[in-house]
Amino acid sequence: MVEFKGVSQRFGQQWALHDVSFALNKGEFLFLTGHSGAGKTTLLRLLYGALRLDLGRATVAGFDLTKLKRSQIPELRRRVSVVFQDFKILPNLTAYDNVALALKVRGLPRSQSDRRVRGILRAMGLEDRAYIKSERLSGGEQQRVAIARSMVVNPKLILADEPTGNLDADLTDHLMDIFRQFYTYGTTVIMATHSREVLERVPEARILHLEQGRIVDTASPPTEIELYGGLP
Amino acid sequence: MIRLLFTIARGMSDMARHPLANLFTMLAVTMVAVLAGVFLMLLHNVNQELLRTRGQVEFQLYWKVDTEQQTVDQQWKRLSRIKGLKSIETFTPSQALVELGQTLTGPTDFSWIQGQNPLPASAFLAFGLIPGDEGTLWANGLLQELKALPGMDEVHYNPFQLDLAHGWITLVRNLLWPIIGVLGLVVGLVVGNTMRLSLLTRQDEIEILSLVGAKPWYIRGPLLAAGALQGMIGSGLALGILKLGQLRLAETLNFAPLYLKISYLPLEQWTALAGIVTLVAMLSSFVAVRK
């Protein structure tokens, strides 16, 4: 699903990633850990085509990132969904419309998308909030809308950048259950996080710990991470 | 075609989703177009007036005093049919006397010379300018023809005036379009920046569409359509405001000694104004989201 070989990424004179290599199979769950500025977000941005690869080789969901053309980015993003800490949903659209947007841009008529959208909103517990404008939803509900939008297209890979960063402990638990559910159904997940609680929610997940753009080690289960002293 | 209509419909629905932002953008576009239109109209009217008074070749004709008025009348009819004639003013000896009286200050009672009027029949011919050497040849040829008319005493024609008219026309051609070009550029920059700034408020939306896998045309199409609509409506409103202004002010300066009648922009100028504003609004929407 994902393969990085000697990937390096530079911003000006600073290396954000340095000689990063790893592989991830279909249906695996991977946590990216590390302090702020360790390179987690840069790695995720490479994965969804927001950055052009500087050095090394990388393939994601069948796309060779070294040869990725600008015109191929929408195709890549149709296979790779992203969930952000700040949700990135449209506040003036309803929860339903935000979720339906991902299908609409793929040209799916409303008659076909309606069942899927309703189904995913039901799975997220947002059935009764579907027609409320997103700006009026709580943070947890907005994040569930964002996850629903990413899941409704049946992506091969879900990238999540600190998706629980703005949420309290209860909501974090709830959202991690949702991610775990999707992962158990066979969707590959890569999640960047600072939080030990989040790691503990998916004990079988692999962990990639980054420091100053380098992979300092990989581990599973999360308790082993403590050996490397990188987690809060 | 269906896809195009769908894109336009999406552009319109996007506009409806951000009514205030779009309204203010459209107002800004309209005001810029009105200002540009006012400047263009001023330029057009000044140009028309100057061309009317300076961009023509004039001949003053004086018949012999003893020429019969019937002969002169026949020649006036013939002269009024000459190709390229813009205006003809004719004066019988008695009309010329009245005109003379009006130009003099103080008491002008010429009744004492009735029957012994020393003034001849005369005519004033004005022709549109034929550019280049051809115009000089034509003027010289016409001069000879006029001199050969029966009963003709003198024909006054100033070749220097022809040169001046040529010079004026060249100046207008060399200056008018560059000025219009600069104006177009200014309009383009202001409208373009206004549109780009208005799209900054939609950066998040554009980013989200891109993140969920929307193809560039899916993102840009409605913005392009909305930009074109804003440009069209804005320039249409501006042209309407200008027309109303022109109708209201048309006769304001039409008094002695100015006699300036304010006319509306000619077809090519108002279509160019509307076209530039629409095109720039559309292109700037495109450029604003090209990344």
Side-chain angles (χ1 to χ4, degrees):
Chain A
M1 180 57 63
V2 178
E3 189 172 10
F4 271 42
K5 278 186 186 166
V7 168
S8 296
Q9 192 71 21
R10 196 167 62 173
F11 295 119
Q13 297 300 312
Q14 187 102 20
W15 288 98
L17 289 177
H18 199 85
D19 198 22
V20 171
S21 300
F22 72 96
L24 190 68
N25 295 319
K26 186 176 181 293
E28 281 192 286
F29 199 120
L30 176 75
F31 282 118
L32 294 175
T33 61
H35 295 293
S36 290
K40 305 186 295 290
T41 300
T42 302
L43 201 152
L44 289 179
R45 292 182 71 195
L46 276 173
L47 286 166
Y48 64 86
L51 289 175
R52 276 195 83 80
L53 189 62
D54 281 343
L55 270 176
R57 297 190 64 81
T59 55
V60 179
F63 286 91
D64 186 344
L65 295 189
T66 46
K67 295 175 187 166
L68 190 71
K69 293 177 190 159
R70 183 175 277 199
S71 59
Q72 290 177 302
I73 293 174
E75 285 304 325
L76 170 69
R77 290 180 183 172
R78 287 176 183 205
R79 296 188 201 177
V80 179
S81 287
V82 198
V83 179
F84 295 91
Q85 184 176 358
D86 58 355
F87 322 136
K88 291 205 190 299
I89 57 175
L90 292 169
N92 55 350
L93 292 189
T94 62
Y96 180 99
D97 288 334
N98 262 297
V99 176
L101 186 70
L103 297 171
K104 199 173 161 188
V105 301
R106 286 158 171 79
L108 214 67
R110 197 180 168 99
S111 56
Q112 289 176 41
S113 65
D114 187 61
R115 260 184 66 189
R116 279 167 74 172
V117 175
R118 285 177 192 282
I120 199 92
L121 285 171
R122 199 179 307 120
M124 291 287 170
L126 290 167
E127 218 174 350
D128 54 342
R129 312 290 281 163
Y131 298 104
I132 294 173
K133 278 198 175 182
S134 299
E135 62 195 354
R136 293 177 56 198
L137 298 175
S138 69
E141 287 169 333
Q142 288 188 35
Q143 190 60 294
R144 276 185 281 160
V145 171
I147 294 169
R149 185 187 64 197
S150 70
M151 290 308 305
V152 77
V153 293
N154 295 326
K156 290 179 183 297
L157 172 66
I158 289 191
L159 307 174
D161 193 0
E162 309 272 3
T164 58
N166 284 336
L167 307 177
D168 61 33
D170 285 345
L171 276 170
T172 298
D173 280 350
H174 180 59
L175 286 183
M176 287 312 296
D177 282 344
I178 293 167
F179 273 112
R180 194 140 189 252
Q181 234 173 7
F182 288 122
Y183 145 68
T184 47
Y185 289 141
T187 307
T188 312
V189 180
I190 299 181
M191 185 182 288
T193 186
H194 276 109
S195 160
R196 185 193 302 275
E197 288 75 27
V198 168
L199 296 179
E200 285 167 353
R201 295 295 303 180
V202 193
E204 66 277 30
R206 287 174 55 197
I207 300 171
L208 207 88
H209 188 61
L210 291 163
E211 265 180 30
Q212 293 182 326
R214 292 171 188 272
I215 297 176
V216 292
D217 222 325
T218 57
S220 181
T223 43
E224 292 180 23
I225 273 294
E226 288 170 351
L227 296 171
Y228 308 110
L231 286 172
Chain B
M1 187 66 187
I2 290 170
R3 182 169 286 194
L4 182 70
L5 288 174
F6 178 68
T7 303
I8 293 170
R10 274 193 54 220
M12 287 169 78
S13 94
D14 281 357
M15 283 174 76
R17 263 216 311 272
H18 306 274
L20 267 185
N22 281 300
L23 182 71
F24 284 121
T25 306
M26 201 184 293
L27 280 179
V29 171
T30 305
M31 294 320 289
V32 172
V34 166
L35 284 177
V38 166
F39 188 76
L40 269 182
M41 245 166 84
L42 186 77
L43 211 61
H44 167 68
N45 279 281
V46 169
N47 181 44
Q48 286 297 103
E49 184 56 24
L50 289 173
L51 281 180
R52 189 173 68 78
T53 53
R54 297 189 193 176
Q56 57 189 22
V57 187
E58 294 159 354
F59 293 87
Q60 285 170 292
L61 283 64
Y62 298 94
W63 278 262
K64 287 173 185 154
V65 178
D66 56 357
T67 312
E68 283 197 14
Q69 189 56 42
Q70 198 184 349
T71 313
V72 177
D73 284 342
Q74 285 171 356
Q75 288 180 20
W76 283 353
K77 271 189 191 167
R78 226 185 101 195
L79 289 173
S80 64
R81 289 195 292 267
I82 297 179
K83 196 179 168 194
L85 183 74
K86 281 172 77 176
S87 67
I88 178 169
E89 284 180 77
T90 57
F91 302 91
T92 61
S94 51
Q95 284 172 332
L97 196 62
V98 173
E99 279 288 317
L100 179 66
Q102 285 174 351
T103 57
L104 296 173
T105 52
T108 52
D109 182 11
F110 290 119
S111 57
W112 55 275
I113 57 168
Q114 279 303 325
Q116 296 167 11
N117 188 347
L119 296 177
S122 57
F124 179 79
L125 309 182
F127 292 89
L129 194 65
I130 299 170
D133 292 341
E134 209 182 318
T136 313
L137 283 173
W138 164 85
N140 287 333
L142 184 63
L143 180 67
Q144 296 313 317
E145 274 184 50
L146 294 172
K147 277 182 176 172
L149 288 173
M152 185 58 65
D153 188 15
E154 281 180 58
V155 178
H156 291 182
Y157 151 69
N158 185 357
F160 177 69
Q161 192 203 7
L162 183 69
D163 291 342
L164 195 72
H166 271 141
W168 179 252
I169 297 282
T170 311
L171 185 76
V172 165
R173 283 196 182 143
N174 287 340
L175 268 184
L176 189 67
W177 286 106
I179 289 174
I180 290 175
V182 170
L183 191 67
L185 190 70
V186 171
V187 170
L189 286 173
V190 177
V191 171
N193 264 327
T194 307
M195 297 298 296
R196 289 184 65 179
L197 284 174
S198 82
L199 282 178
L200 277 182
T201 59
R202 296 182 62 186
Q203 279 301 313
D204 285 350
E205 185 181 337
I206 292 162
E207 187 192 354
I208 288 167
L209 281 170
S210 168
L211 284 172
V212 296
K215 294 196 170 168
W217 181 245
Y218 187 93
I219 300 170
R220 288 176 190 163
L223 295 176
L224 221 70
L229 274 172
Q230 279 188 326
M232 262 193 279
I233 296 170
S235 56
L237 282 173
L239 290 171
I241 291 168
L242 285 172
K243 184 66 193 170
L244 284 176
Q246 184 261 332
L247 287 173
R248 191 161 173 76
L249 299 173
E251 299 294 331
T252 314
L253 300 173
N254 196 10
F255 56 79
L258 285 170
Y259 295 114
L260 280 175
K261 199 169 177 188
I262 298 169
S263 58
Y264 193 57
L265 291 172
L267 178 72
E268 69 270 15
Q269 285 187 24
W270 72 254
T271 47
L273 182 68
I276 286 174
V277 171
T278 305
L279 192 72
V280 167
M282 200 165 82
L283 285 181
S284 50
S285 303
F286 184 80
V287 169
V289 291
R290 71 187 187 281
K291 286 182 180 174

